[in-house]
Amino acid sequence: AQSVTQPDIHITVSEGASLELRCNYSYGATPYLFWYVQSPGQGLQLLLKYFSGDTLVQGIKGFEAEFKRSQSSFNLRKPSVHWSDAAEYFCAVGFTGKLIFGQGTTLQVKP
Amino acid sequence: ETGVTQTPRHLVMGMTNKKSLKCEQHLGHNAMYWYKQSAKKPLELMFVYSLEERVENNSVPSRFSPECPNSSHLFLHLHTLQPEDSALYLCASSQGRGSNYGYTFGSGTRLTVV
């Protein structure tokens, strides 16, 4: 069955440090891939998406993600984290007309 | 107003009450969705509407009843809920039901069943 795994439930990084959030998926073909961010009390905001082509995609707020077919991964990265990046991040896979979400990774940013 | 708007933002209801959640999108999208977000659990897709027709119902209990009167509005009617139904209910919309479209989400309704 199709699934999305975010191995890290909670990550803490220092402000200014680099960030990588992991996402692995299980799907027979190349899926459509998304990263969303959710601030407390808010809905989900789309950070970036991958459909095809260049495997490194740029998103909003300085985020990027790289699709690696061989590893079935779509990891999210940011070179320098800001305190305002503290939020919950969701990876999602699109197939057969719907999105399946991972369990989310909570990012805490230390001053 | 733009985007996806959900009302109310917060709702507290007793188990014998009847209430409705409202979602409105101003994006010209033709597919709308209800998701349930509970603590420590992945987002659960509840209902999918495409061109105002319900196309998916993921084994949701009958105490949740969706309604999509037109492509801009989506309701979730609630009755005789249980405490475990307390969650954040998110509405989303997309242009087309294909999975290559990202969804636009509302801010959600925080529901507490007492």
Side-chain angles (χ1 to χ4, degrees), chain A residues 9 32 34 36 38 41-46 49 51 88 90 93-104, chain B residues 9 33 35 37 40-43 45 48 56 58 88 90 97-108:
Chain A
I9 296 174
Y32 301 106
F34 306 84
Y36 284 84
Q38 185 180 32
Q42 299 297 315
L44 278 69
Q45 180 184 21
L46 180 65
K49 56 190 176 187
F51 295 159
E88 189 155 17
F90 293 91
V93 171
F95 72 100
T96 60
K98 57 188 174 186
L99 290 189
I100 302 299
F101 288 85
Q103 287 194 294
Chain B
R9 291 297 306 275
Y33 312 82
Y35 277 87
Q37 186 178 29
K40 311 296 184 188
K41 294 175 71 174
L43 282 116
L45 178 61
V48 179
E56 189 157 340
N58 281 350
L88 181 68
L90 292 165
R97 201 185 141 232
S99 54
N100 53 325
Y101 300 104
Y103 294 0
T104 301
F105 282 84
S107 297

Side-chain angles (χ1 to χ4, degrees), chain B residues 23-114:
Chain B
C23 176
E24 185 173 3
Q25 58 96 1
H26 308 272
L27 300 166
H29 290 170
N30 55 22
M32 298 186 77
Y33 312 82
W34 279 116
Y35 277 87
K36 177 183 179 183
Q37 186 178 29
S38 305
K40 311 296 184 188
K41 294 175 71 174
L43 282 116
E44 302 171 53
L45 178 61
M46 300 175 71
F47 299 104
V48 179
Y49 276 83
S50 179
L51 299 173
E52 303 154 41
E53 177 183 346
R54 189 192 310 181
V55 295
E56 189 157 340
N57 173 356
N58 281 350
S59 303
V60 180
S62 59
R63 57 186 183 269
F64 295 91
S65 175
E67 179 189 3
C68 188
N70 55 62
S71 60
S72 299
H73 294 86
L74 185 65
F75 295 89
L76 188 62
H77 304 299
L78 316 171
H79 67 97
T80 59
L81 294 192
Q82 303 299 311
E84 60 265 29
D85 296 322
S86 298
L88 181 68
Y89 289 84
L90 292 165
C91 173
S93 69
S94 67
Q95 181 54 47
R97 201 185 141 232
S99 54
N100 53 325
Y101 300 104
Y103 294 0
T104 301
F105 282 84
S107 297
T109 295
R110 173 68 63 185
L111 174 67
T112 303
V113 181
V114 297

Side-chain angles (χ1 to χ4, degrees), chain A residues 6-28:
Chain A
Q6 293 180 245
D8 305 304
I9 296 174
H10 191 106
I11 283 184
T12 300
V13 300
S14 298
E15 190 169 14
S18 63
L19 171 71
E20 182 169 30
L21 302 182
R22 297 183 291 165
C23 174
N24 294 96
Y25 65 89
S26 172
Y27 184 55

Side-chain angles (χ1 to χ4, degrees), chain A residues 1-108:
Chain A
Q2 294 81 3
S3 65
V4 181
T5 302
Q6 293 180 245
D8 305 304
I9 296 174
H10 191 106
I11 283 184
T12 300
V13 300
S14 298
E15 190 169 14
S18 63
L19 171 71
E20 182 169 30
L21 302 182
R22 297 183 291 165
C23 174
N24 294 96
Y25 65 89
S26 172
Y27 184 55
T30 300
Y32 301 106
L33 297 161
F34 306 84
W35 274 100
Y36 284 84
V37 61
Q38 185 180 32
S39 298
Q42 299 297 315
L44 278 69
Q45 180 184 21
L46 180 65
L47 283 175
L48 47 78
K49 56 190 176 187
Y50 173 78
F51 295 159
S52 64
D54 192 348
T55 56
L56 184 64
V57 294
Q58 302 297 320
I60 62 171
K61 305 185 180 187
F63 286 92
E64 65 179 25
E66 185 172 13
F67 169 60
K68 292 186 177 180
R69 184 191 308 275
S70 61
Q71 300 177 17
S72 297
S73 69
F74 189 56
N75 294 349
L76 182 71
R77 301 194 294 247
K78 186 169 185 178
S80 177
V81 170
H82 188 263
W83 64 266
S84 61
D85 293 323
E88 189 155 17
Y89 292 80
F90 293 91
C91 180
V93 171
F95 72 100
T96 60
K98 57 188 174 186
L99 290 189
I100 302 299
F101 288 85
Q103 287 194 294
T105 297
T106 300
L107 173 65
Q108 183 178 358

